[in-house]
Amino acid sequence: MSKSRVAIIGAGPSGLTSIKQCIDDNLEPVCFEASEHTGGLWRYTEIDDKNEDPHSSIYKSIIIITSKDVMSFTDFPVPYEWPTFLHNSKVASYFDLYTEKFKLNPYIRFQSPVKRLSIQSDKKWKVTYSNPKNEECEEVFEYVMVCTGHHRYPRLPKYIGMDKFVGKQMHSHFYRKPGDYDNKRVIVVGCGNSGMDIAVELSGVASQVYLCTRKGTLPWILPRRIFGSLPSDHLATRFNTYLPAPIRDLIVKAIAHCTVGPHPPEFAPKTAPSASHPTIKTEFMERVSTGTIIVKPNISELKSDNSVVFVDGSVLSDIDAIIYATGYDIKFAFLDKEIISGGEKVEQQFEEEYRENLVWLYKYIFPPKLPNIAFIGLVQAIGAIMPVSELQAQYVTSLWTGKLYSKLPTQDEMEESIRRNQETLRKRYYHAARHTIEADMIPYMDDLAKDIGCLPYLPKVLLKYGPKLWCQVLFGLPSPTHYRLFGRQAWDGAAEAIRKQNEGSPAIVMCGYPIAIIFSMLLGLILIIMIKWGLISRCTGLF
């Protein structure tokens, strides 16, 4: 019996893990990659005459903000001897190791960009692509996995006078090195991770850097590490998901105040930490305190004499360059927009900016009308995208091969589920294009894992692996390897990997063990009371 063929578009981390999952589930993957290499945006690419618009958006110095233990694929941890936070070259090397370990290269067609995806009358997908000789080719597949991500098409703001300003204007997508801005006066627009990172880097070479916050306030800013050595994302434990949002917000505020420092009063956040995507940049407040970075409100107008007017009426003169770190448009040039957005009837329910990036997909994966095409990695996880994409791929191939624990809901049920999710997002976050695909890493992965059959239920962990691993799963770092303890694709090395990742973890020592001891004492007290009152004998008598 021939295997079902799956077209995978893109050989970044989402594409690589999709190839592996197809192989594991006895499907036949064919991966189309436009460039000459794997790694997606994490493969640093210079901009030159031959490559004026690269897929990669990373600059020379960028270091990932997620710790290696949280960004790992579930059955292939980042080497333990590597640094905690990886330079982009190390991230690309990790993907190379993953590709080599699972022998994925034979399934990838390099220099083969997809030009068009179209569905046929038999519900199969026709893939039109260019081969390395630049010849147009067509092939038909039963399934498609779109893995090109959402950091490809730069999104620019709309300011009066942008066409008149004679200084340099560019999106952060095209930023590569700080040397180009030596002794320049630079405005960076946007205070997400890229904007703040670039502003800090430029503050060491530019004569003056201004950071423009379009919302009028700064985000909550967190450090990579707290208590000297603990990666801050190690505190995003499974136990935290049981805490009320106000308690989690209070913890984040305390960490931000004690480590990064207080915000400038006029630009302090007005929303709770859980109502926006945090920015990770320890050095930012330090640069603000030295005056090498000056925070400004939103821009009102750009002038032809290289001056910039802000909404508070202040004016900056002699600006040499403006870098727009203003996010990306979610679109796929090879696919009809309505497949992702839900169509005009759905789009009209939302205001213009929000609907421009509207993603109307069940679990951020399936268009309700077309369950044989899946989008992998089209989610803004508060955490790491790599393991999220991997679990999405497992969910998809489990569905397509009949191994999912539950059936896909009806189209109407999927539509209603998407609507409820969008309502939740809009209640939690301010309405902006960047907030249409937000998800908390652990709850989202747990939701997928339930149907896959690999959810690390705490009672099962305790019974099979004992109290120490139970404590590490509940209170330890949020390791993606949790999802390899059980299920049809359980990994024999999962328990040992979790133990090794949590060796000497300050979070376990400071929080996990004390809480576990208190919990055990309470449980013991309850048992004593039950024995004293004779409840144990009465209950056991029932069996």
mmCIF file of all heavy atoms in Angstrom, residues 34-37 40 43-58 152 173-174 176:
data_model
loop_
_atom_site.group_PDB
_atom_site.id
_atom_site.type_symbol
_atom_site.label_atom_id
_atom_site.label_comp_id
_atom_site.label_asym_id
_atom_site.label_seq_id
_atom_site.Cartn_x
_atom_site.Cartn_y
_atom_site.Cartn_z
ATOM 1 N N ALA A 34 12.985 27.241 -0.177
ATOM 2 C CA ALA A 34 13.380 28.244 -1.177
ATOM 3 C C ALA A 34 14.874 28.523 -1.187
ATOM 4 O O ALA A 34 15.432 28.847 -2.231
ATOM 5 C CB ALA A 34 12.607 29.541 -0.921
ATOM 6 N N SER A 35 15.525 28.389 -0.036
ATOM 7 C CA SER A 35 16.963 28.719 0.055
ATOM 8 C C SER A 35 17.827 27.480 -0.152
ATOM 9 O O SER A 35 17.330 26.407 -0.510
ATOM 10 C CB SER A 35 17.261 29.356 1.410
ATOM 11 O OG SER A 35 17.175 28.386 2.437
ATOM 12 N N GLU A 36 19.113 27.649 0.139
ATOM 13 C CA GLU A 36 20.065 26.555 -0.027
ATOM 14 C C GLU A 36 20.316 25.807 1.269
ATOM 15 O O GLU A 36 21.179 24.930 1.325
ATOM 16 C CB GLU A 36 21.399 27.104 -0.553
ATOM 17 C CG GLU A 36 21.295 27.818 -1.891
ATOM 18 C CD GLU A 36 22.606 28.467 -2.301
ATOM 19 O OE1 GLU A 36 23.518 28.525 -1.437
ATOM 20 O OE2 GLU A 36 22.730 28.890 -3.460
ATOM 21 N N HIS A 37 19.596 26.160 2.324
ATOM 22 C CA HIS A 37 19.926 25.582 3.628
ATOM 23 C C HIS A 37 18.673 25.455 4.496
ATOM 24 O O HIS A 37 17.614 26.003 4.175
ATOM 25 C CB HIS A 37 20.943 26.469 4.353
ATOM 26 C CG HIS A 37 20.582 27.928 4.310
ATOM 27 N ND1 HIS A 37 19.511 28.459 5.000
ATOM 28 C CD2 HIS A 37 21.147 28.971 3.645
ATOM 29 C CE1 HIS A 37 19.438 29.758 4.772
ATOM 30 N NE2 HIS A 37 20.400 30.102 3.953
ATOM 31 N N GLY A 40 15.619 28.177 8.455
ATOM 32 C CA GLY A 40 14.693 29.299 8.354
ATOM 33 C C GLY A 40 15.327 30.614 8.747
ATOM 34 O O GLY A 40 16.463 30.913 8.371
ATOM 35 N N ARG A 43 19.080 31.112 10.269
ATOM 36 C CA ARG A 43 20.330 31.017 9.490
ATOM 37 C C ARG A 43 20.690 32.435 9.056
ATOM 38 O O ARG A 43 20.073 32.994 8.155
ATOM 39 C CB ARG A 43 20.127 30.112 8.281
ATOM 40 C CG ARG A 43 21.397 29.790 7.524
ATOM 41 C CD ARG A 43 22.253 28.764 8.221
ATOM 42 N NE ARG A 43 21.563 27.484 8.364
ATOM 43 C CZ ARG A 43 22.129 26.399 8.878
ATOM 44 N NH1 ARG A 43 23.382 26.433 9.307
ATOM 45 N NH2 ARG A 43 21.429 25.276 8.989
ATOM 46 N N TYR A 44 21.688 33.024 9.684
ATOM 47 C CA TYR A 44 22.060 34.411 9.381
ATOM 48 C C TYR A 44 22.412 34.564 7.906
ATOM 49 O O TYR A 44 23.169 33.769 7.342
ATOM 50 C CB TYR A 44 23.248 34.844 10.243
ATOM 51 C CG TYR A 44 23.759 36.229 9.908
ATOM 52 C CD1 TYR A 44 23.054 37.355 10.311
ATOM 53 C CD2 TYR A 44 24.921 36.401 9.156
ATOM 54 C CE1 TYR A 44 23.497 38.626 9.994
ATOM 55 C CE2 TYR A 44 25.373 37.674 8.836
ATOM 56 C CZ TYR A 44 24.657 38.778 9.258
ATOM 57 O OH TYR A 44 25.092 40.039 8.930
ATOM 58 N N THR A 45 21.849 35.598 7.291
ATOM 59 C CA THR A 45 22.051 35.850 5.865
ATOM 60 C C THR A 45 22.402 37.317 5.651
ATOM 61 O O THR A 45 21.686 38.205 6.117
ATOM 62 C CB THR A 45 20.774 35.519 5.065
ATOM 63 O OG1 THR A 45 20.332 34.204 5.402
ATOM 64 C CG2 THR A 45 21.036 35.600 3.571
ATOM 65 N N GLU A 46 23.499 37.559 4.971
ATOM 66 C CA GLU A 46 23.873 38.928 4.629
ATOM 67 C C GLU A 46 22.933 39.474 3.549
ATOM 68 O O GLU A 46 22.372 38.726 2.752
ATOM 69 C CB GLU A 46 25.320 38.970 4.110
ATOM 70 C CG GLU A 46 26.374 38.747 5.187
ATOM 71 C CD GLU A 46 26.626 39.985 6.041
ATOM 72 O OE1 GLU A 46 25.914 40.992 5.863
ATOM 73 O OE2 GLU A 46 27.520 39.935 6.905
ATOM 74 N N ILE A 47 22.794 40.781 3.553
ATOM 75 C CA ILE A 47 22.003 41.439 2.504
ATOM 76 C C ILE A 47 22.974 42.036 1.496
ATOM 77 O O ILE A 47 23.876 42.804 1.844
ATOM 78 C CB ILE A 47 21.116 42.541 3.106
ATOM 79 C CG1 ILE A 47 20.080 41.915 4.044
ATOM 80 C CG2 ILE A 47 20.414 43.335 2.008
ATOM 81 C CD1 ILE A 47 19.239 42.917 4.783
ATOM 82 N N ASP A 48 22.818 41.648 0.242
ATOM 83 C CA ASP A 48 23.684 42.165 -0.810
ATOM 84 C C ASP A 48 22.886 42.287 -2.102
ATOM 85 O O ASP A 48 21.661 42.109 -2.109
ATOM 86 C CB ASP A 48 24.916 41.261 -1.006
ATOM 87 C CG ASP A 48 24.549 39.790 -1.185
ATOM 88 O OD1 ASP A 48 23.485 39.513 -1.800
ATOM 89 O OD2 ASP A 48 25.309 38.919 -0.738
ATOM 90 N N ASP A 49 23.573 42.587 -3.188
ATOM 91 C CA ASP A 49 22.884 42.783 -4.471
ATOM 92 C C ASP A 49 22.161 41.521 -4.935
ATOM 93 O O ASP A 49 21.128 41.598 -5.611
ATOM 94 C CB ASP A 49 23.892 43.221 -5.542
ATOM 95 C CG ASP A 49 24.464 44.608 -5.256
ATOM 96 O OD1 ASP A 49 23.799 45.351 -4.508
ATOM 97 O OD2 ASP A 49 25.550 44.929 -5.762
ATOM 98 N N LYS A 50 22.694 40.349 -4.581
ATOM 99 C CA LYS A 50 22.081 39.096 -4.997
ATOM 100 C C LYS A 50 20.961 38.659 -4.051
ATOM 101 O O LYS A 50 20.147 37.800 -4.401
ATOM 102 C CB LYS A 50 23.147 37.996 -5.078
ATOM 103 C CG LYS A 50 24.189 38.223 -6.170
ATOM 104 C CD LYS A 50 25.178 37.072 -6.210
ATOM 105 C CE LYS A 50 26.229 37.276 -7.304
ATOM 106 N NZ LYS A 50 27.212 36.175 -7.344
ATOM 107 N N ASN A 51 20.940 39.235 -2.870
ATOM 108 C CA ASN A 51 19.957 38.820 -1.869
ATOM 109 C C ASN A 51 19.455 40.055 -1.131
ATOM 110 O O ASN A 51 19.804 40.303 0.018
ATOM 111 C CB ASN A 51 20.601 37.827 -0.891
ATOM 112 C CG ASN A 51 19.566 37.133 -0.021
ATOM 113 O OD1 ASN A 51 18.378 37.126 -0.337
ATOM 114 N ND2 ASN A 51 20.019 36.554 1.070
ATOM 115 N N GLU A 52 18.646 40.843 -1.800
ATOM 116 C CA GLU A 52 18.167 42.108 -1.231
ATOM 117 C C GLU A 52 17.011 41.923 -0.260
ATOM 118 O O GLU A 52 16.755 42.802 0.565
ATOM 119 C CB GLU A 52 17.740 43.045 -2.370
ATOM 120 C CG GLU A 52 18.896 43.457 -3.283
ATOM 121 C CD GLU A 52 18.435 44.364 -4.402
ATOM 122 O OE1 GLU A 52 17.205 44.509 -4.579
ATOM 123 O OE2 GLU A 52 19.296 44.927 -5.097
ATOM 124 N N ASP A 53 16.311 40.800 -0.336
ATOM 125 C CA ASP A 53 15.156 40.576 0.527
ATOM 126 C C ASP A 53 15.189 39.144 1.066
ATOM 127 O O ASP A 53 14.437 38.275 0.636
ATOM 128 C CB ASP A 53 13.863 40.817 -0.259
ATOM 129 C CG ASP A 53 12.631 40.709 0.633
ATOM 130 O OD1 ASP A 53 12.775 40.763 1.863
ATOM 131 O OD2 ASP A 53 11.520 40.561 0.088
ATOM 132 N N PRO A 54 16.080 38.878 2.025
ATOM 133 C CA PRO A 54 16.219 37.508 2.530
ATOM 134 C C PRO A 54 15.043 37.101 3.398
ATOM 135 O O PRO A 54 14.341 37.946 3.966
ATOM 136 C CB PRO A 54 17.501 37.587 3.361
ATOM 137 C CG PRO A 54 17.544 38.999 3.841
ATOM 138 C CD PRO A 54 16.975 39.820 2.710
ATOM 139 N N HIS A 55 14.838 35.793 3.505
ATOM 140 C CA HIS A 55 13.800 35.299 4.408
ATOM 141 C C HIS A 55 14.200 35.559 5.852
ATOM 142 O O HIS A 55 13.376 35.934 6.690
ATOM 143 C CB HIS A 55 13.576 33.800 4.199
ATOM 144 C CG HIS A 55 12.584 33.203 5.158
ATOM 145 N ND1 HIS A 55 11.223 33.339 4.995
ATOM 146 C CD2 HIS A 55 12.747 32.504 6.311
ATOM 147 C CE1 HIS A 55 10.590 32.734 5.989
ATOM 148 N NE2 HIS A 55 11.491 32.223 6.811
ATOM 149 N N SER A 56 15.478 35.383 6.159
ATOM 150 C CA SER A 56 15.953 35.537 7.529
ATOM 151 C C SER A 56 15.872 36.989 7.980
ATOM 152 O O SER A 56 16.232 37.907 7.241
ATOM 153 C CB SER A 56 17.405 35.052 7.645
ATOM 154 O OG SER A 56 17.906 35.316 8.937
ATOM 155 N N SER A 57 15.432 37.187 9.210
ATOM 156 C CA SER A 57 15.311 38.536 9.757
ATOM 157 C C SER A 57 16.310 38.788 10.880
ATOM 158 O O SER A 57 16.267 39.834 11.526
ATOM 159 C CB SER A 57 13.889 38.753 10.291
ATOM 160 O OG SER A 57 13.608 37.796 11.302
ATOM 161 N N ILE A 58 17.198 37.845 11.140
ATOM 162 C CA ILE A 58 18.083 38.005 12.294
ATOM 163 C C ILE A 58 19.314 38.820 11.932
ATOM 164 O O ILE A 58 19.798 38.799 10.804
ATOM 165 C CB ILE A 58 18.501 36.648 12.889
ATOM 166 C CG1 ILE A 58 19.320 35.823 11.882
ATOM 167 C CG2 ILE A 58 17.305 35.876 13.378
ATOM 168 C CD1 ILE A 58 19.992 34.639 12.505
ATOM 169 N N ARG A 152 8.080 37.024 7.858
ATOM 170 C CA ARG A 152 8.599 37.133 6.497
ATOM 171 C C ARG A 152 8.287 38.477 5.842
ATOM 172 O O ARG A 152 9.113 39.035 5.126
ATOM 173 C CB ARG A 152 8.016 35.991 5.639
ATOM 174 C CG ARG A 152 8.420 36.059 4.159
ATOM 175 C CD ARG A 152 9.921 35.901 4.011
ATOM 176 N NE ARG A 152 10.379 36.102 2.647
ATOM 177 C CZ ARG A 152 10.779 37.266 2.156
ATOM 178 N NH1 ARG A 152 10.729 38.359 2.899
ATOM 179 N NH2 ARG A 152 11.214 37.355 0.913
ATOM 180 N N HIS A 173 13.732 44.092 9.892
ATOM 181 C CA HIS A 173 13.988 42.870 9.105
ATOM 182 C C HIS A 173 15.304 42.979 8.340
ATOM 183 O O HIS A 173 15.974 41.967 8.099
ATOM 184 C CB HIS A 173 12.820 42.658 8.131
ATOM 185 C CG HIS A 173 12.929 41.422 7.294
ATOM 186 N ND1 HIS A 173 12.480 40.194 7.724
ATOM 187 C CD2 HIS A 173 13.434 41.218 6.053
ATOM 188 C CE1 HIS A 173 12.701 39.291 6.780
ATOM 189 N NE2 HIS A 173 13.272 39.894 5.749
ATOM 190 N N PHE A 174 15.678 44.205 7.953
ATOM 191 C CA PHE A 174 16.871 44.407 7.119
ATOM 192 C C PHE A 174 18.075 44.905 7.923
ATOM 193 O O PHE A 174 19.122 45.183 7.349
ATOM 194 C CB PHE A 174 16.547 45.393 5.991
ATOM 195 C CG PHE A 174 15.426 44.923 5.111
ATOM 196 C CD1 PHE A 174 14.129 45.401 5.288
ATOM 197 C CD2 PHE A 174 15.634 43.974 4.129
ATOM 198 C CE1 PHE A 174 13.083 44.963 4.487
ATOM 199 C CE2 PHE A 174 14.596 43.518 3.324
ATOM 200 C CZ PHE A 174 13.318 44.007 3.505
ATOM 201 N N ARG A 176 21.325 44.528 10.154
ATOM 202 C CA ARG A 176 22.318 43.469 10.303
ATOM 203 C C ARG A 176 23.424 43.802 11.307
ATOM 204 O O ARG A 176 23.737 43.008 12.174
ATOM 205 C CB ARG A 176 22.941 43.112 8.933
ATOM 206 C CG ARG A 176 22.011 42.363 7.976
ATOM 207 C CD ARG A 176 21.580 41.034 8.559
ATOM 208 N NE ARG A 176 20.707 40.260 7.689
ATOM 209 C CZ ARG A 176 19.390 40.286 7.701
ATOM 210 N NH1 ARG A 176 18.756 41.102 8.542
ATOM 211 N NH2 ARG A 176 18.673 39.509 6.911
#
